[in-house]
Structures are given as structure tokens and as C-alpha cells.
Amino acid sequence: MARARHGCLLVLTVLLLLAGIAAGAGAWFYQRQTAFADTPLTAEAGSVVVARGDGFNAVLRKLREAGVDEGRDYQWKLLARQLDAAGKIKAGEYALDTHLSPRGLLLNMRQGKVLQYRVTLVEGWNIRQLRAALGRAQPLLHETERMGDAELMAALGFPDQHPEGRFLPETYVYQRGDSDLDVLKRAHAALEKALAEAWAARSDDLPLASPGELLILASIIEKETGLASERPQIAGVFARRLKLGMRLQTDPTVIYGIGSSYDGNIRKTHLTTDTPYNTYTRAGLPPTPIAMPGKDALRAAAQPAAGDALYFVAVGDGSGAHVFSASYAEHNAAVARYLQRLRENRNRAVQQ
């Protein structure tokens, strides 16, 4: 009996010892796995691209190729199961940030938090400048590079539309795999929405017959001033001129008509040479927009400021502001002051 009791105690002791060893090993493994999961990555590569159909082994291989040395493969696989990420990783490009842990990276992959890029379309750009900016954007795919403007608009689903001014100037976010056509579709849709909103809120006495005419006027306003506060005043001048049948006589339309041969100086011959865009020789609006207007210019064109001014000229002090005049005599005096200030500035520059 004593011998049997001794045997039971020995077995119990061994079991307790094994249980303690197992518990200690479990605690050690848990601590090691937790430390691995929450330790910041040290990879120097900027990103990793997960393709559609990539299994977790393929993802792990790409991480290793990108310089991710943290953890053993089994630790990554166990963590993926713990986070319910195995089999649920979404395709895309993911940043390998040194502030990011394996846990954070796998959560990003499961949630599809892909690396994002930005391209900014600037107010007042023309279609050539817009397309050049998209051509420089990386890693944007350049599907429209060999397309002419007409082919481009057909690809967007608007074959009868002139491309000038038809894209809203804003900052657009895209990801690897997106194309310039994707960005242009979004910019075109954004412009259509902003234009419709401006047209719906237009003044009752606006001398414009359609949203298209509103877009043309807004593009001229955009090129005439960079000061948001002045846009309604400039819109007011143009609206009053249109009502009175006066020519708009705005330099930006003339410059647009000159095209790529414009060298930065507008001359008398430019103002007297007739083109469809010369608002000194032709009454009314030009046939198309001349640039991309922003939302402020669209609103200004739809709701011009009240007043009696029919003329404006730059102050010439570097502020971008203008002097507005109701009579031609007042305007001539303002022009004389502008020219005088211009001469003084040139003289100072020469003396320095």
C-alpha cells in the first residue's frame, strides 16, 4: 500500500512539474509572440505590393524580399490567424513604415488601407498644363499619353465636348494601379457637379443662357485675378458689359487665342488680330473656356457683385488687386497710375 501511495505521489509530482514547464513555455512563447507582433519594422523598402490572388505564403515571401526580417514565418502565420487576416488580405500597395508593427501591417492589409498618392490640379491651368502634370505623376498609369484631346474626351464618354475647363482643379488621391483616365473621370464628374450647383444658385438677371456659358465666364474670371475677394466684382464688370453689348476686352482670352507661341508679352498687334478668342475684336463670350475655373470662380460667375463698374486695371503694387472704375475717364486715370508705378518699379530695379 505504501509503495502504491509513493508511486501516485511520484506521478503527481511529475505531472505538476510537466504542467509547470508547459505553463512556463506557454508564457515564454506568448511573450515572444506578443513582442514580435508589436515591435516596429526595420525594413528599408518603402512599400510592398500584394497582387490579386496572392496567398499568405506569397505575401510573406514579398515581405521578406522587401527587407522585412522580423519574426519567423510561423509567427507571421500565427499572427495572421489571430487577427483573422489569413485569406482576407486585400490587393494593393502597402507602406512599410518603421513606425508600423507586424500587427499594424497585417491589420492594414486586412482592411485594405493601401498607400495613397496625390496629384494637384491647379486653378487657372489649361488642358496642356493639366495633361503635363498627370504625365509627371507617379506611379499613375499613363493611359492617355498618346491620345489627342478629342480622343481623350471620347474615352471619358463626352466625344462632343471641348476639353478646356472641364475638370475641377483640386487635389485628387489615387493608388498604385490607377490611371490618369481614372483621375480625369473623377475631376470631370466633380466639375459637372460644381457647375450644376453654381447654375442652380445663379442670379435671376444673369446674362448667360446656359451652364456652358457660365463655365466660359468663370474661366475668364479665374485668369483675371488670383484674389478670391475680387472675383465677384470682376464677374460684375463682365456681366454688365454683356448686358450692355460691350466687348469684354479681356487679355487672358487673347493670350489663349495666341496659343503656345505666346512669349509672355501681349502686344498691340495681338489685340487687333482677330481670332475666335479675341474679345477686343469680337463681342460676347469666346467659344470655349480658356482654363480650369475653381469653385470660387464658378460661384462668382453665377452671382456677380452689384455695382456700376465697367472697367478694371491692376493696382501694380504686387498685391494682385485691381482698381474698378465706372467711367472710361476714371479708368484712364487708373491706367496712368498703374503705368507710372510700373516705371518706378523698373527704375528701382535698374538702380539696384
Side-chain angles (χ1 to χ4, degrees), residues 177-306:
D178 288 345
S179 73
D180 50 3
L181 199 59
D182 295 322
V183 174
L184 287 171
K185 285 178 180 177
R186 291 164 53 201
H188 187 279
L191 186 280
E192 291 293 311
K193 181 175 182 291
L195 179 58
E197 290 174 351
W199 181 251
R202 69 189 183 280
S203 300
D204 293 336
D205 60 344
L206 194 69
L208 302 173
S210 67
E213 290 190 356
L214 175 64
L215 182 62
I216 294 171
L217 182 57
S219 73
I220 298 172
I221 295 166
E222 187 67 68
K223 293 298 291 183
E224 279 287 7
T225 182
L227 299 180
S229 60
E230 280 195 347
R231 287 176 184 141
Q233 290 177 275
I234 287 177
V237 170
F238 289 141
R240 284 184 285 278
R241 280 179 165 260
L242 288 171
K243 289 177 182 177
L244 294 170
M246 295 176 65
R247 293 175 183 176
L248 296 184
Q249 296 184 324
T250 170
D251 292 356
T253 63
V254 177
I255 292 169
Y256 186 84
I258 296 170
S260 57
S261 62
Y262 178 63
D263 62 4
N265 293 311
I266 191 164
R267 300 174 177 85
K268 185 176 181 179
T269 183
H270 293 142
L271 302 180
T272 56
T273 300
D274 183 54
T275 75
Y277 291 89
N278 190 337
T279 51
Y280 284 83
T281 61
R282 298 195 183 192
L285 295 166
T288 73
I290 61 171
M292 294 191 301
K295 291 181 178 179
D296 285 343
L298 288 168
R299 282 192 290 266
Q303 301 174 40

Side-chain angles (χ1 to χ4, degrees), residues 241 311-313 323 325-337:
R241 280 179 165 260
Y311 308 88
F312 61 89
V313 67
V323 176
S325 303
S327 71
Y328 192 56
E330 291 173 353
H331 176 62
N332 281 339
V335 170
R337 290 193 298 272

Side-chain angles (χ1 to χ4, degrees), residues 49-62:
V49 178
V50 177
R52 294 188 184 280
D54 277 354
F56 192 76
N57 286 335
V59 173
L60 188 53
R61 184 184 71 254
K62 289 181 176 181

Side-chain angles (χ1 to χ4, degrees), residues 54-82:
D54 277 354
F56 192 76
N57 286 335
V59 173
L60 188 53
R61 184 184 71 254
K62 289 181 176 181
L63 288 174
R64 297 306 191 196
E65 291 171 353
V68 176
D69 298 325
E70 285 73 23
R72 303 291 183 90
D73 286 3
Y74 75 84
Q75 290 180 294
W76 282 93
K77 293 176 182 178
L78 176 59
L79 181 61
R81 286 196 295 272
Q82 291 173 335

